[in-house]
Amino acid sequence: MTKSNIPLALPDLTGNEEQYVVKAIRSSWISSTGPFVARFEAEFAAACGTRAAITVCNGTIALHLALLALDVKPGDEIIVPSLTYVATANAAKYVGGIPVFADVDRQTWCLDPKKVQTAITERTKGIIAVHLYGHAADMDEINAIAELHGLWVVEDAAEAPFATYKGRRTGSLAKIGTFSFYGNKIITCGEGGAITVSDPDLEARMRMIRGQGMDPRRRYYFPITGYNFRLTNVACAMLCAQLERYEQLVERRLQICALYRNLLRDVPGIGMQKPAGWAKTSPWLFCITIDTPEFGRSRDQVMTMLAEQAIETRPFFIPLHSLPPFRDRARADGSDLLVTEELGQTGLNLPTYTTMSDSDVRRVCEALMDTRRRITGYNTRRA
Ligand SMILES: *Cc1c(COP(=O)(O)O)cnc(C)c1O
């Protein structure tokens, strides 16, 4: 009997998503004006603890819009982690900025404030802190460094909506927060994104840039060059339905990750992200690291063997400083990115989605441990 496929991620659209999308279509409000846009922006801001939220086409554009509003100039340096999705550093390049990579903390896998400090030069203008895999970065430390050097801070919260840092929600911990609603993220509308902001001037500026630069008091008058970065009412209909259930969705992800942790805790050679005392996570993809000598298999061997059991996994992000668009710059900096490099080589994402069952999680863990038993048996026979 062939086993059913366990994908890495699946959207959970089992609430009012379909009903609201149909409602949006029947109302004819299918572009970026309409009641679901306003409703989602108000409710998402409330959930994040900010004064406002602005929807945009995707999470990459949310970062791009933030950097446009912060007036990044060609040659400005922006400190970012190297262990992140490529969008974080791409956004810096869209506005002519130079991404400068800082290493991550060995426990939380988010920016190490000490490494941020040493990456600062007289050309540094800001920091993009990424809340990796659902865990908030050490924002008080990062904000304190930023304040000392007159830098702005943006939170890339694409992977961690509703996570908290010392009781405060991600998106409310810096000047601007950015989010992604791609199909595999914690809440989704297929392709979508948002910005959270509390400063009214910054909010107005970002709304203006998002809407082609149009003057809000004078229709079809464009005092600046803007973009069309708007999200549709149809997409926001889906997001309103997702947001109605966000506490449930996060809770189920926490349960899945707790079960993974319990089942894998004592397996030699498997490491996990260690949530800091101040963090309440909102888990995106469950992660492990594989210490090859101890586990008996390399990360890539494990991935292949799990794929043979119809279990989809994903390696960690390839550290951005090793990719062609960023490579030379990172070398010139003599970057010290040892933790990032180690995680990039050993890290693995396991299937994580709210509609997976506890027995699916058990099947993944058993298959994972089985990859190890097979090598142990082999070694025993040889010895
Ligand atoms: C998903 C993601 C993004 C970008 O999101 P898109 O909606 O795919 O453009 C940005 N940063 C991080 C860290 C992400 O994980």
Side-chain angles (χ1 to χ4, degrees), residues 89-375:
N90 277 350
K93 292 189 89 173
Y94 298 158
V95 291
I98 299 167
V100 172
F101 300 109
D103 208 359
V104 293
D105 177 81
R106 192 172 281 284
Q107 310 293 320
T108 68
W109 306 347
C110 295
L111 270 184
D112 180 341
K114 289 187 295 292
K115 299 297 172 64
V116 170
Q117 176 76 56
T118 55
I120 293 172
T121 72
E122 67 270 19
R123 301 217 313 225
T124 308
K125 289 289 154 50
I127 302 163
I128 305 177
V130 178
H131 304 313
L132 201 73
Y133 298 124
H135 187 294
D138 192 355
M139 294 306 294
D140 280 356
E141 292 294 317
I142 292 168
N143 284 328
I145 293 165
E147 202 169 327
L148 200 64
H149 293 86
L151 313 176
W152 47 255
V153 180
V154 169
E155 295 171 72
D156 181 346
E159 301 177 7
F162 321 118
T164 63
Y165 174 80
K166 299 182 184 174
R168 287 170 288 143
R169 284 263 163 90
T170 55
S172 71
L173 304 166
K175 224 176 173 61
I176 296 175
T178 68
F179 294 85
S180 164
F181 307 127
Y182 184 69
N184 64 13
K185 295 282 162 76
I186 293 173
I187 61 168
T188 185
C189 59
E191 294 278 5
I195 279 183
T196 48
V197 61
S198 289
D199 176 332
D201 295 333
L202 256 183
E203 182 202 352
R205 191 169 156 69
M206 290 192 284
R207 287 194 183 279
M208 199 162 158
I209 298 169
R210 178 187 69 166
Q212 213 72 267
M214 188 164 76
D215 188 333
R217 285 166 305 273
R218 196 172 158 198
R219 290 188 80 204
Y220 301 104
Y221 179 71
F222 302 92
I224 60 165
T225 303
Y227 297 76
N228 178 358
F229 282 166
R230 298 180 300 257
L231 188 64
T232 68
N233 193 52
V234 180
C236 288
M238 213 186 290
L239 287 174
C240 284
Q242 292 267 287
L243 200 57
E244 287 174 349
R245 296 188 296 136
Y246 83 85
E247 279 153 323
Q248 257 170 276
L249 296 175
V250 172
E251 187 50 40
R252 180 64 193 143
R253 283 178 179 274
L254 284 164
Q255 285 170 0
I256 288 165
C257 293
L259 184 55
Y260 269 130
R261 275 181 188 275
N262 272 332
L263 294 170
L264 299 175
R265 196 192 322 269
D266 299 322
V267 181
I270 289 188
M272 299 175 204
Q273 195 177 27
K274 292 194 184 61
W278 35 257
K280 187 171 179 299
T281 62
S282 177
W284 180 40
L285 297 173
F286 185 74
C287 311
I288 57 170
T289 58
I290 304 227
D291 177 343
T292 305
E294 232 197 308
F295 187 77
R297 292 279 183 197
S298 72
R299 187 264 313 266
D300 295 348
Q301 283 177 314
V302 167
M303 288 187 63
T304 308
M305 292 171 89
L306 291 178
E308 285 163 5
Q309 302 298 315
I311 295 166
E312 192 190 345
T313 58
R314 187 168 116 173
F316 271 20
F317 298 116
I318 296 170
L320 301 185
H321 69 274
S322 62
L323 298 177
F326 307 108
R327 207 153 45 197
D328 294 343
R329 175 72 204 173
R331 281 208 190 110
D333 287 342
S335 304
D336 166 22
L337 297 159
L338 297 178
V339 179
T340 298
E341 298 222 329
E342 191 183 310
L343 290 169
Q345 278 161 23
T346 61
L348 181 64
N349 299 125
L350 300 180
T352 317
Y353 50 96
T354 56
T355 53
M356 80 187 287
S357 65
D358 286 4
S359 67
D360 290 334
V361 177
R362 286 198 189 90
R363 196 182 120 198
V364 173
C365 293
E366 272 154 28
L368 180 66
M369 290 186 275
D370 194 45
T371 66
R372 182 160 187 275
R373 275 187 217 111
R374 277 188 261 169
I375 187 97

